[in-house]
Amino acid sequence: MKAAHRRFPLFSSIPSWLLAALFFGCIATWHMVRSESYGVIFSALTRGLYTTLYVSLIAYAAATALGLLFGLMRISSNRVIREVATFYIEIVRGIPMLIILYYIAFVGAPSLVKGLNWVASPLIEAGLFDKISVRDISFVVRAILALTLGYSAFIAEIFRAGIESIPSGQMEAAIASGMSRRQAMQHVILPQAIRTVLPPLANDFVAMIKDSALVSALGVQDITQLGKVYSASTFQFFETYNVVALLYLALTLSLTLGVRVLEKRLDTSR
């Protein structure tokens, strides 16, 4: 057994529960492939796979950038900046993601359109620009914005914890060597902190893949929404939601396995 583990290091890093899940997933997939009705459902739902991945990737990239900004603000020596970041993080983290989604879609987007029209009113009156309508902002864009704002608060805390885990002596040594505080943060602290927070960041991406199902509440044509529409029209609820669950499991389990490999490589490199 030990020799097999040395020969297949990836296999040894896979937990038993994941192996069991992969085994039953393969059996379920084989059964579905043999069924003609499941084949039709797969072809109907895989169109939503692109939307799910598109929304998740764009929202997570934006949330990571915004989270890094608020994470740096959270540890700022300026009290006003620090309190603003803390206020944002604590408020957003205390609101359910579905409520954020509804708020951005039906309150934030109309308010943004009114604000943009007010700012650009001289140009609109001069005929240089057309007045913006709420319908010009698609529900996909609103969903991405909501997921970005919701997850940025959690990612900000991940970055803050990662930065604070680096010994303060490294910042002092970098400043003593002639670097400014900004240069020390950019070239010394952040590279080490990012390496530390990569696994929890990857776990948050897995969570966002699952939470992206909430965008179906806005009618966005993701996996969940297409499954809802298909099952309502064919009354094949059991088969349809089996496929929906399998697609999400395939995404999340593959990402989970990738996170475990990443964690093992980081531990080995340390």
Side-chain angles (χ1 to χ4, degrees):
M1 182 65 69
K2 291 182 179 179
H5 283 185
R6 286 194 296 268
R7 190 177 303 173
F8 303 104
L10 179 61
F11 179 82
S12 63
S13 65
I14 303 177
S16 300
W17 68 266
L18 185 54
L19 287 174
L22 291 173
F23 174 74
F24 287 111
C26 290
I27 293 177
T29 303
W30 178 75
H31 175 71
M32 291 178 183
V33 168
R34 294 183 60 195
S35 173
E36 183 178 348
S37 62
Y38 274 115
V40 175
I41 296 171
F42 259 112
S43 62
L45 298 191
T46 47
R47 293 183 291 109
L49 187 61
Y50 168 78
T51 302
T52 296
L53 290 174
Y54 173 79
V55 168
S56 300
L57 288 171
I58 299 298
Y60 192 73
T64 302
L66 188 60
L68 176 58
L69 174 62
F70 277 104
L72 292 173
M73 292 172 62
R74 186 82 162 77
I75 60 172
S76 173
S77 57
N78 188 305
R79 182 177 178 180
V80 174
I81 295 176
R82 188 170 63 250
E83 292 297 335
V84 168
T86 303
F87 176 82
Y88 171 83
I89 292 169
E90 296 301 331
I91 293 298
V92 173
R93 289 174 66 193
I95 302 175
M97 187 61 66
L98 184 60
I99 303 303
I100 296 176
L101 198 69
Y102 282 142
Y103 192 88
I104 295 299
F106 301 115
V107 179
S111 299
L112 177 62
V113 168
K114 288 180 181 179
L116 291 175
N117 285 332
W118 179 77
V119 171
S121 57
L123 299 176
I124 295 173
E125 293 174 359
L128 298 176
F129 288 100
D130 293 330
K131 191 174 182 179
I132 303 174
S133 172
V134 178
R135 295 182 179 179
D136 294 331
I137 304 178
S138 68
F139 280 107
V140 173
V141 174
R142 303 183 201 188
I144 290 174
L145 182 58
L147 289 173
T148 297
L149 294 177
Y151 268 83
S152 64
F154 294 94
I155 293 175
E157 285 296 278
I158 292 176
F159 277 117
R160 179 195 62 78
I163 293 171
E164 291 183 344
S165 69
I166 307 301
S168 59
Q170 296 202 27
M171 173 66 77
E172 297 170 0
I175 294 175
S177 67
M179 289 186 179
S180 65
R181 186 175 181 85
R182 180 179 178 181
Q183 290 174 330
M185 179 63 70
Q186 181 179 352
H187 299 291
V188 178
I189 305 301
L190 274 181
Q192 298 180 74
I194 289 175
R195 184 175 178 177
T196 302
V197 302
L198 273 179
L201 284 178
N203 284 326
D204 261 19
F205 182 61
V206 174
M208 180 175 280
I209 290 286
K210 292 184 291 184
D211 277 350
S212 67
L214 295 174
V215 305
S216 63
L218 302 180
V220 176
Q221 300 294 304
D222 70 327
I223 299 172
T224 303
Q225 176 64 13
L226 291 180
K228 188 190 304 181
V229 172
Y230 186 87
S231 61
S233 60
T234 62
F235 296 99
Q236 293 180 311
F237 295 98
F238 179 74
E239 295 86 351
T240 301
Y241 286 108
N242 279 343
V243 175
V244 171
L246 185 62
L247 288 174
Y248 277 111
L249 277 173
L251 289 173
T252 56
L253 288 180
S254 60
L255 288 170
T256 299
L257 180 59
V259 170
R260 291 186 64 87
V261 173
L262 176 63
E263 289 177 345
K264 197 166 187 66
R265 287 186 177 180
L266 288 176
D267 288 340
T268 303
S269 62
R270 286 196 185 102

